Amino acid sequence: MANAQEIKRHIGGVSDTEKITRAMYLISEAKLRRAKKELDLTRPYFDALRQEIKRIFRVDTNVKSRYFYADDSEEYGGGTYGCLVVTADKGLAGAYNLNVLKKAEELLSEHPDTELYVVGEYGRHWFLKRNIPIKRSFLYTAQNPTMHRAREISEVLLDGFESGVLSNIMVLYTDMKNSMTESVRLTRLLPLHRRLFSPKPEEPVLRPFEFSPSLSVVLDGVMRSYISGFVYSALVDSFCAEQSARMEAMSSANRNAEELLSSLRARYNLARQAAITQEITEISAGSRAQRQSNQES
């Protein structure tokens, strides 16, 4: 059994670790709250873009656009896929990163020629360690998603799609539905089905707006902004899910620390009581031996 001093040092070490995990929990909570607020501030703009796309299809259901399938019944085609994989910069977030990377492995097994575009140090190192080629690694941190960075990423993806190098653009990220539920989503970003914006037949516009220079040009311009907004939303959703997962991991670590500290304090008290009892026994034995020696003399 460890002595009281060793147990006391162990208690100190666990207490220091608990302070760190509590601080990480509070930091993640603040980051999550701020990211949600920023996403809520930008959401109305992209909701308006979606409504404008819907309005265009009400004006002309057959408008041509390179960003949409010509036939709404078409599904995934052949060719090279481009997949944006969003991970964190570090671990300590439960299974957040591994769930995304597991899904990426499944995609690569089904489509080995998929080109990867990676956000986050964790994912970057994971692919490099396994000698999985990365087409483009965005080197800025995943900890600070901004609209400017989302536009940069979408421009790279759009260049590959518009040049014909990529036939489909996928986005692999973690969607935080609420504070308790997270799910990994593999979403096709391009090309899109028209029914995503007009899920049910609607009456045509009787007095349509005028679109200049043409309906197709306006639709293509709006779609580029919409795609940037989707990428931004995926980055923020992933960031929020990461902070939520880290909060849960740190909360679990705090509970485990409390249980361990409770056990260590009980052991410390037992060890201390045993040491006191031993000292009293030794003192009593010494006193008894002294009395016997005095009596004999």
Side-chain angles (χ1 to χ4, degrees), residues 193-246:
H193 287 302
R194 298 166 191 262
R195 62 174 177 267
L196 293 175
F197 298 91
S198 298
K200 56 184 179 180
E202 296 187 27
E203 294 182 2
V205 178
L206 298 179
R207 301 176 64 183
F209 289 84
E210 292 185 3
F211 294 89
S212 179
S214 68
L215 205 59
S216 296
V217 173
V218 172
L219 179 59
D220 285 350
V222 173
M223 283 304 301
R224 294 183 74 88
S225 296
Y226 176 81
I227 291 165
S228 297
F230 187 96
V231 171
Y232 176 67
S233 177
L235 293 176
V236 176
D237 276 343
S238 293
F239 179 71
C240 290
E242 176 196 349
Q243 302 311 316
S244 178
R246 184 164 292 113

Side-chain angles (χ1 to χ4, degrees), residues 262-283:
S262 178
S263 175
L264 287 172
R265 290 186 183 112
R267 289 175 55 192
Y268 175 75
N269 291 333
L270 287 174
R272 191 172 170 215
Q273 186 63 45
I276 293 172
T277 302
Q278 183 177 358
E279 288 180 7
I280 294 173
T281 302
E282 291 175 352
I283 292 172

Side-chain angles (χ1 to χ4, degrees), residues 13-168:
V14 174
S15 297
D16 291 340
T17 302
E18 186 183 22
K19 292 177 183 177
I20 295 173
T21 56
R22 286 188 183 278
M24 292 180 67
Y25 178 92
L26 295 173
I27 291 171
S28 293
E29 185 179 37
K31 289 181 177 180
L32 175 61
R33 188 165 52 248
R34 185 177 67 249
K36 281 185 174 180
K37 182 178 179 180
E38 291 176 356
L39 182 61
D40 289 341
L41 290 174
T42 58
R43 196 182 300 276
Y45 171 72
F46 295 107
D47 287 343
L49 284 180
R50 189 177 184 88
Q51 289 300 318
E52 289 307 311
I53 296 170
K54 185 177 179 180
R55 189 196 306 275
I56 291 173
F57 286 135
R58 288 184 64 194
V59 173
D60 184 358
T61 57
N62 297 316
V63 60
K64 303 297 183 181
S65 174
R66 53 191 170 186
Y67 301 125
F68 289 87
Y69 281 120
D71 182 357
D72 218 28
S73 64
E74 287 189 65
E75 293 299 334
Y76 293 89
T80 302
Y81 285 16
C83 183
L84 175 65
V85 182
V86 184
T87 64
D89 289 327
K90 56 185 177 181
L92 298 177
Y96 167 80
N97 289 301
L98 294 179
N99 289 338
V100 174
L101 296 171
K102 181 180 178 181
K103 192 72 175 179
E105 278 189 321
E106 294 176 2
L107 177 63
L108 289 171
S109 64
E110 296 175 3
H111 302 279
D113 61 340
T114 298
E115 294 187 347
L116 298 176
Y117 298 79
V118 181
V119 173
E121 286 290 332
Y122 194 101
R124 182 159 42 250
H125 290 306
W126 192 88
F127 288 120
L128 291 176
K129 186 177 180 180
R130 288 160 178 75
N131 296 318
I132 299 175
I134 298 174
K135 177 66 174 181
R136 173 73 180 269
S137 183
F138 300 98
L139 298 178
Y140 38 71
T141 177
Q143 294 294 305
N144 184 28
T146 63
M147 193 62 223
H148 176 70
R149 291 175 177 175
R151 287 194 180 97
E152 289 183 346
I153 294 172
S154 63
E155 285 297 327
V156 172
L157 297 175
L158 285 168
D159 286 345
F161 181 77
E162 292 171 354
S163 64
V165 174
L166 303 176
S167 62
N168 287 272

